């Protein structure tokens, strides 16, 4: 059987794709502010992240789900790249901003904006509306546990009290949403480690372990630089002082974890012989 294509790259001309990153270290120092992208939502990611992922793991006209849509960066990229998109966020206010930005971007993609909790939201009716039963890629950019207070809503994963609670919540999101992903297609999780009570909390490693336990296939761990977050703006000197004093290094990176959903193996009906 022929290998199913997962993107529009023409491998006869593979040398021409200068815009596609294939290294696991992404140093991107300038955010793409073109079109309706703004970068004003504390905790957003740079458009180059969904742009790279979408070009690499989907074809024109395919469907992408973003389970933590925020200000809509992924769906703006869907418009630009001719993909269709579904975005979910628990926060209605940011969802409306996402909708305004993504629909005002040039393009004629089909886009859906759903207010809900990704741990239990059902999207079957949205899929039915477009006569599809699965999406072709999922992007997850959850809160990095509690480092940013997005809002007071108790369903927000940023408002979980313990690491275990945060990871449980994220696991529920994975259980609830990956059933909508086509087999043998890709998902990407954008996550950073955090520093709390004088200790490095390796959120990235916890999430890799969680996904491996669920039998997803790890395809890549990309390390991406974070040049200057809003939280650390103008605080370079104090962070350097704290780091020198406290024996730790200042975060300058986050992860883009890429997994493939395995082909569902039918359970064999094996009868036990006594
Ligand atoms: C890191 S931000 C995503 C930013 C987004 N990539 C962007 O570029 O704007 C995480 C988002 O997840 C949302 N969120 C947190 N818990 C959620 C949940 N249980 N279900 C759906 N969305 C949730 C927050 O409201 C927040 O907007």
């Amino acid at each position: 059987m022929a290998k199913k294509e997962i993107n529009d790259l023409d491998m006869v001309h593979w040398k021409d794709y200068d815009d596609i990153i294939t290294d696991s270290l992404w140093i991107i120092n300038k955010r793409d502010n073109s079109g309706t992208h703004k970068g004003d939502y504390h905790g957003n990611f740079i458009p180059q992240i969904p742009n790279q992922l979408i070009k690499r793991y989907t074809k024109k006209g395919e469907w992408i789900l973003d389970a933590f849509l925020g200000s809509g960066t992924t769906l703006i990229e869907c418009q630009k790249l001719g993909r269709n998109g579904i975005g979910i966020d628990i926060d209605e206010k940011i969802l409306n901003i996402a909708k305004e930005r993504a629909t005002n971007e040039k393009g004629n993609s089909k886009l859906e904006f759903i207010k809900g909790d990704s741990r239990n939201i059902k999207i079957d009716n949205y899929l039915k509306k477009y006569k599809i039963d699965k999406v072709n890629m999922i992007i997850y950019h959850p809160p990095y546990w509690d480092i940013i207070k997005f809002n007071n809503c108790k369903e927000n994963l940023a408002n979980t009290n313990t690491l275990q609670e945060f990871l449980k919540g994220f696991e529920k999101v994975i259980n609830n949403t990956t059933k909508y992903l086509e087999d043998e297609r890709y998902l990407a999780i954008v996550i950073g480690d955090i520093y709390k009570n004088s200790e490095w909390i390796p959120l990235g490693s916890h999430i890799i372990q969680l996904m491996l336990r669920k039998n997803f296939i790890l395809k890549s761990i990309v390390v991406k630089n974070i040049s200057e977050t809003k939280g650390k703006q103008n605080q370079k000197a104090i962070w350097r002082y704290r780091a020198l004093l406290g024996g730790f290094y200042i975060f300058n990176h986050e992860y883009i974890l890429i997994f493939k959903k395995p082909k569902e193996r039918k359970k064999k009906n094996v009868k036990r012989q006594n």
Side-chain angles (χ1 to χ4, degrees):
M1 212 167 69
K3 194 167 176 276
K4 209 174 158 218
E5 305 293 345
I6 55 157
N7 56 40
D8 288 325
L9 305 182
D10 174 359
M11 291 311 288
V12 174
H13 301 288
W14 66 274
K15 286 186 181 160
D16 300 341
Y17 295 113
D18 295 336
D19 58 321
I20 307 253
I21 307 173
T22 45
D23 292 340
S24 66
L25 179 62
W26 292 12
I27 309 285
I28 304 173
N29 288 323
K30 206 170 168 288
R31 113 182 319 273
D32 170 13
N33 271 329
S34 64
T36 59
H37 286 302
K38 284 224 164 65
D40 53 356
Y41 185 47
H42 191 185
N44 71 97
F45 54 28
I46 58 167
Q48 288 96 326
I49 294 180
N51 178 284
Q52 287 290 326
L53 296 170
I54 290 170
K55 287 194 293 205
R56 193 80 197 276
Y57 298 114
T58 66
K59 305 200 298 186
K60 278 210 162 73
E62 287 195 325
W63 283 85
I64 292 136
L65 170 67
D66 185 325
F68 300 95
L69 185 66
S71 57
T73 316
T74 298
L75 294 204
I76 296 173
E77 283 305 309
C78 283
Q79 274 283 44
K80 290 186 170 201
L81 296 167
R83 272 67 167 179
N84 302 310
I86 299 174
I88 307 168
D89 204 287
I90 196 72
D91 184 340
E92 188 148 32
K93 208 164 137 213
I94 196 61
L95 196 72
N96 287 335
I97 293 174
K99 187 170 184 177
E100 191 197 314
R101 290 181 185 173
T103 49
N104 283 335
E105 182 59 63
K106 259 191 239 123
N108 42 29
S109 302
K110 298 173 190 111
L111 303 175
E112 287 289 341
F113 303 82
I114 308 173
K115 182 201 172 299
D117 183 344
S118 289
R119 292 174 302 180
N120 49 37
I121 187 96
K122 299 209 167 8
I123 64 164
D124 307 69
N125 285 342
Y126 295 94
L127 300 180
K128 239 186 241 162
K129 178 173 158 190
Y130 297 103
K131 300 189 171 49
I132 52 170
D133 54 1
K134 292 277 161 70
V135 297
N136 311 100
M137 181 181 197
I138 308 186
I139 295 179
Y140 301 90
H141 184 210
Y144 300 176
W145 186 10
D146 59 355
I147 52 162
I148 296 176
K149 184 131 193 84
F150 288 96
N151 55 35
N152 287 324
C153 143
K154 68 173 179 1
E155 291 88 359
N156 196 313
L157 292 191
N159 294 332
T160 45
N161 293 318
T162 63
L163 174 62
Q164 289 321 315
E165 211 186 306
F166 168 76
L167 292 171
K168 266 224 160 77
F170 184 72
E171 184 167 7
K172 281 188 184 161
V173 174
I174 292 294
N175 292 343
N176 183 45
T177 50
T178 53
K179 62 181 182 243
Y180 297 112
L181 177 64
E182 207 180 305
D183 286 352
E184 298 190 89
R185 296 300 295 262
Y186 288 71
L187 66 88
I189 303 169
V190 182
I191 188 81
D193 295 335
I194 61 171
Y195 200 70
K196 205 179 175 65
N197 301 330
S198 304
E199 202 178 331
W200 189 289
I201 315 278
L203 292 185
S205 311
H206 286 297
I207 285 183
I208 292 171
Q209 292 307 322
L210 185 158
M211 297 302 287
L212 293 178
R213 277 201 305 276
K214 297 191 163 299
N215 291 330
F216 286 92
I217 299 157
L218 179 61
K219 296 293 289 188
S220 282
I221 300 176
V222 169
V223 175
K224 180 200 149 283
N225 71 314
I226 30 179
S227 32
E228 199 165 76
T229 62
K230 281 203 165 182
K232 289 193 185 137
Q233 252 167 30
N234 310 321
Q235 293 188 6
K236 262 194 173 153
I238 184 73
W239 272 101
R240 185 164 158 73
Y241 175 79
R242 284 182 191 156
L244 287 169
L245 195 69
F248 67 93
Y249 289 87
I250 304 163
F251 290 107
N252 219 345
H253 70 282
E254 58 194 341
Y255 308 103
I256 302 163
L257 310 173
I258 295 156
F259 292 92
K260 185 173 173 182
K261 182 176 174 181
K263 193 175 181 157
E264 201 183 27
R265 283 184 218 112
K266 294 234 162 58
K267 280 192 191 119
K268 280 188 193 149
N269 193 6
V270 185
K271 277 191 186 150
R272 271 185 55 196
Q273 290 182 341
N274 291 316

